[in-house]
Amino acid sequence: MSLWTATEIAAATGGTASADFAVDGVAFDSREVGAGDLFVALTGESTDGHRFLDQAFAQGAGGAIVSQGAAHPHVRVADTFAALEDLARAARARMAGKVIGVTGSVGKTSTKEALYAAVNRSPAVRAHRSVKSYNNHTGVPLSLARMPAKTDVAVLEMGMNHPGELAHLTTLVRPHVAIVTAIAPAHTEFFPDESAIADAKGEIFRGLEPGGVAIVPYDSPHRDRLIAAAQPHAARIVTFGLEKGADVHPIEQARAPSGGTFVTARVGDRELSMTVALPGAHWVSNALAVLAAVQAVDGDLALAGLALAELGGLPGRGARVDIDVAGGTATVIDESYNANPASMRATLAVLGHAPGRHVAVLGEMRELGERSAGYHAGLADPVAAARVETAVLVGEAMAPLAAALEGRVEFVHVPDAAQALDRARNLIRPGDVVLVKGSNGVGLARLVAGLSGGMS
């Protein structure tokens, strides 16, 4: 059964179909088009998707949404972005299952992936999720448009960097369960303070369906603010966190030999013992949010626990990569996708518990506004506490951290990822554990790829 037919697309968007066709997927990046996909020719300030129609169909596109004449099977509309949103609304309207929305300053993609693994662990559940980090004004409608009609549980990530963005996205997603993972300094260039970030994240609750559940981080200093944002829209509010006052919290926890954590968790009136495979207190917190959401959609908690025990790190978000170095191997902790002060501290704490000599390649944290220097300098204590022997600091904004580390930790400060790769290659020894983390724009994913290509 196809995902969309031309007739369905035309009905959803108010467009006109040039021919009968059926598609099995949706894409707006021509480089990602696969056989049988619908290509949405979005237009923007710097590019026009109509220029890539031939390429999309050469790669096997089954049809397109366009706003101008085209030689390929298509549905023509007045505005292709509006049509993508219309298709998203139609996908959401025809789906009778449960929808879980996830947002937060840190941990939203990791929690989304863990939650998808937890609900998808049951063979009786047809699960759907946002891929990659498609969580913005184009990514969310794309993820919805890709959702099969017979989905039982959908897990959709929503992000924002300005007030009002989530207020709109949540009206498309219309979640039955809405999670805020954590509030932390991120995109502070666009917000006066952390309370404003909490308010913007709390917008997710406005889209809750009747009878919906809001899941809120109990340990957050903004807990009460988030609860207040949820109360007008949620039938029930569930808290999760490491403190015992949370509705979902650990009764006992201990470090596992594998580096993860053994946890016995209280989930409402139930107890669940499990292993959280990925290391760090932040992953215990993510796991508790997952359990809260699984219970909220009447999922199988035991299977969720098994999924958390089997979970591996994602590329750019905790994956561990063994690399060849002269005389042996070293381990890279790949956290290259993004960074803010809270996630930097959390992953440095994970590094601190790893056996071996510790090396940190740290890229600058972006969109922190006028408080950027203080946030960067504030990483000096976590770097020292992680027993980092050598640090490679990448980017101009790392200068305050370089100054704060003088006399405490050996470091080099370089302007870009290419020079960081050269320095890292000369620094890493057999048995080292190397944390690589920075804002995505710094390009440290290329450094991880370079190290993974071999250094011997």
Side-chain angles (χ1 to χ4, degrees):
M1 186 174 177
S2 58
L3 180 66
W4 295 103
T5 66
T7 300
E8 290 167 339
I9 296 167
T13 63
T16 303
S18 70
D20 290 332
F21 61 84
V23 295
D24 297 314
V26 185
F28 54 63
D29 185 334
S30 60
R31 296 165 297 184
E32 296 183 358
V33 171
D37 280 353
L38 175 71
F39 176 59
V40 184
L42 297 180
T43 58
E45 294 180 2
S46 59
T47 189
D48 183 346
H50 295 86
R51 293 169 43 209
F52 303 100
L53 281 166
D54 289 343
Q55 176 184 334
F57 279 90
Q59 291 174 204
I65 293 179
V66 299
S67 58
Q68 54 189 251
H72 305 283
H74 64 268
V75 172
R76 185 165 180 172
V77 299
D79 182 320
T80 53
F81 175 71
L84 177 61
E85 286 202 333
D86 288 338
L87 199 62
R89 291 186 184 93
R92 177 66 184 84
R94 71 182 184 178
M95 180 263 203
K98 298 290 187 181
V99 178
I100 305 171
V102 183
T103 194
S105 302
V106 291
K108 56 183 175 292
T109 301
S110 298
T111 300
K112 177 258 297 182
E113 289 292 329
L115 184 49
Y116 172 78
V119 296
N120 197 48
R121 192 67 165 67
S122 170
V125 173
R126 294 164 294 193
H128 172 75
R129 75 190 187 282
S130 313
V131 297
K132 301 183 180 178
S133 289
Y134 283 164
N135 62 23
N136 64 3
H137 66 290
T138 54
V140 169
L142 177 68
S143 297
L144 281 165
R146 288 173 165 175
M147 182 170 63
K150 292 186 177 180
T151 298
D152 296 309
V153 180
V155 186
L156 298 168
E157 178 182 343
M158 289 179 269
M160 63 89 205
N161 59 16
H162 287 83
E165 287 185 66
L166 278 177
H168 174 63
L169 293 178
T170 194
T171 63
L172 296 177
V173 173
R174 291 168 39 216
H176 299 89
V177 179
I179 304 171
V180 176
T181 58
I183 304 298
H187 309 300
T188 54
E189 179 180 354
F190 308 112
F191 295 93
D193 52 34
E194 252 187 49
S195 294
I197 296 173
D199 290 340
K201 295 296 184 184
E203 292 172 10
I204 192 174
F205 302 127
R206 299 182 191 178
L208 275 169
E209 289 286 271
V213 179
I215 299 178
V216 172
Y218 183 87
D219 305 336
S220 171
H222 307 288
R223 175 189 67 212
D224 293 343
R225 200 176 195 95
L226 290 169
I227 288 173
Q231 281 173 333
H233 311 286
R236 187 158 57 95
I237 298 173
V238 177
T239 59
F240 71 94
L242 303 180
E243 298 180 20
K244 293 197 180 299
D247 297 317
V248 182
H249 66 266
I251 300 169
E252 296 177 334
Q253 54 180 314
R255 193 175 307 282
S258 61
T261 309
F262 292 126
V263 179
T264 298
R266 168 74 64 187
V267 187
D269 59 356
R270 297 183 61 183
E271 289 185 13
L272 177 70
S273 294
M274 64 183 180
T275 299
V276 180
L278 293 168
H282 62 298
W283 258 108
V284 175
S285 182
N286 290 346
L288 297 170
V290 166
L291 295 180
V294 169
Q295 186 181 58
V297 296
D298 299 320
D300 191 317
L301 287 174
L303 289 179
L306 289 175
L308 290 165
E310 297 168 355
L311 200 64
L314 301 170
R317 293 184 173 85
R320 298 199 173 208
V321 183
D322 290 332
I323 62 171
D324 295 324
V325 299
T329 61
T331 299
V332 172
I333 303 174
D334 177 13
E335 287 277 357
S336 59
Y337 183 78
N338 219 339
N340 58 47
S343 63
M344 276 284 200
R345 290 171 181 268
T347 50
L348 282 164
V350 170
L351 176 65
H353 290 293
R357 190 178 80 112
H358 297 167
V359 177
V361 181
L362 305 178
E364 63 187 18
M365 302 175 292
R366 297 183 174 176
E367 295 186 355
L368 293 179
E370 61 185 17
R371 296 182 287 279
S372 175
Y375 285 132
H376 282 86
L379 295 178
D381 286 345
V383 168
R387 298 180 291 113
V388 172
E389 290 199 19
T390 304
V392 180
L393 310 180
V394 189
E396 182 181 351
M398 277 295 189
L401 177 57
L405 288 176
E406 285 284 359
R408 301 183 66 184
V409 174
E410 182 180 331
F411 70 89
V412 294
H413 186 195
V414 298
D416 55 43
Q419 292 193 39
L421 176 59
D422 290 339
R423 292 300 188 102
R425 281 176 165 151
N426 293 325
L427 289 171
I428 300 173
R429 307 171 190 166
D432 284 357
V433 181
V434 185
L435 171 64
V436 180
K437 188 166 182 66
S439 284
N440 194 37
V442 180
L444 294 185
R446 295 191 296 273
L447 180 143
V448 173
L451 294 178
S452 302
M455 297 167 38
S456 58

